[in-house]
Amino acid sequence: MATQGCPCGFLGDPRRACQCSPTRIQQYRGRVSGPLMDRIDLHIEVARVPIEALDSDQPGESSANVRRRVIAAREIQQRRFVQAPGIHTNAQMSIRHLFEHAQPDGRGRALLKMAGERMGFSGRAFHRVMRVARTIADLDGCETVGEKQIAEAIGYRVLDRQSPDS
């Protein structure tokens, strides 16, 4: 699912000013219900890429390397759920599996609790963050979910933490 940040499409754009009032932005965002947003794992903003960056010779991570990391993470998940019929990926984990395989360490748990309270996570959003953090840990090759993975997963919930005037 994709959407603009506001009706005019320029909220946060460094080159064009948004013409929308905070009230209009809130109404626009309110068209998508909270329960629907809770079911979307990643809420991110994708900023306009400057022409200079498109014309740069600075290479990013290669697609082949990303592919290798994704395949390795999927293999970890297949091994993790070999005894769990119908579950093949972290996204499919039940609550029981979530607390068995995605329980963050102490610092990660404290961060998740603090963010959940400040951002007003629903139970569903709280568990989505845990699933995403488990996947990030798998991509990182980490056995446990730590503060780093929790922080990154929280960062992907931008619409939970953003008011129109931020």
Side-chain angles (χ1 to χ4, degrees), residues 15-40:
R15 302 185 91 187
R16 292 198 53 189
C18 173
Q19 302 299 312
C20 305
S21 69
T23 302
R24 187 159 181 231
I25 294 169
Q26 197 66 27
Q27 289 170 339
Y28 177 78
R29 288 183 178 171
R31 292 177 20 206
V32 179
S33 73
L36 178 61
M37 290 305 296
D38 273 353
R39 289 171 169 82
I40 299 171

Side-chain angles (χ1 to χ4, degrees), residues 84-129:
I87 300 176
H88 307 285
T89 65
N90 294 335
Q92 299 169 317
M93 280 192 278
S94 68
I95 299 298
R96 180 178 64 83
H97 289 109
L98 187 64
F99 283 95
E100 184 179 336
H101 300 294
Q103 189 66 252
D105 64 15
R107 291 176 65 148
R109 192 170 322 136
L111 177 60
L112 180 58
K113 182 179 177 191
M114 180 184 68
E117 289 171 355
R118 283 190 183 165
M119 295 167 66
F121 285 164
S122 66
R124 183 176 284 117
F126 186 88
H127 293 137
R128 295 249 179 222
V129 169

Side-chain angles (χ1 to χ4, degrees), residues 49-164:
V49 179
I51 295 297
E52 301 81 36
L54 296 172
D55 192 33
S56 172
D57 61 354
Q58 294 290 326
E61 185 175 14
S62 72
S63 294
N65 191 45
V66 172
R67 183 175 191 274
R68 279 192 291 275
R69 289 191 309 116
V70 169
I71 288 170
R74 293 295 292 245
E75 288 171 354
I76 289 168
Q77 291 172 39
Q78 284 180 331
R79 286 191 302 273
R80 178 178 297 132
F81 301 118
V82 73
Q83 299 295 323
I87 300 176
H88 307 285
T89 65
N90 294 335
Q92 299 169 317
M93 280 192 278
S94 68
I95 299 298
R96 180 178 64 83
H97 289 109
L98 187 64
F99 283 95
E100 184 179 336
H101 300 294
Q103 189 66 252
D105 64 15
R107 291 176 65 148
R109 192 170 322 136
L111 177 60
L112 180 58
K113 182 179 177 191
M114 180 184 68
E117 289 171 355
R118 283 190 183 165
M119 295 167 66
F121 285 164
S122 66
R124 183 176 284 117
F126 186 88
H127 293 137
R128 295 249 179 222
V129 169
M130 289 178 68
R131 285 183 182 91
V132 169
R134 175 69 266 170
T135 300
I136 293 166
D138 291 344
L139 288 166
D140 289 345
C142 296
E143 296 238 356
T144 59
V145 175
E147 183 179 30
K148 174 186 176 285
Q149 291 85 16
I150 292 291
E152 185 174 342
I154 290 166
Y156 295 137
R157 298 295 299 195
V158 69
L159 295 178
D160 289 329
R161 63 180 154 82
Q162 197 174 65
S163 66

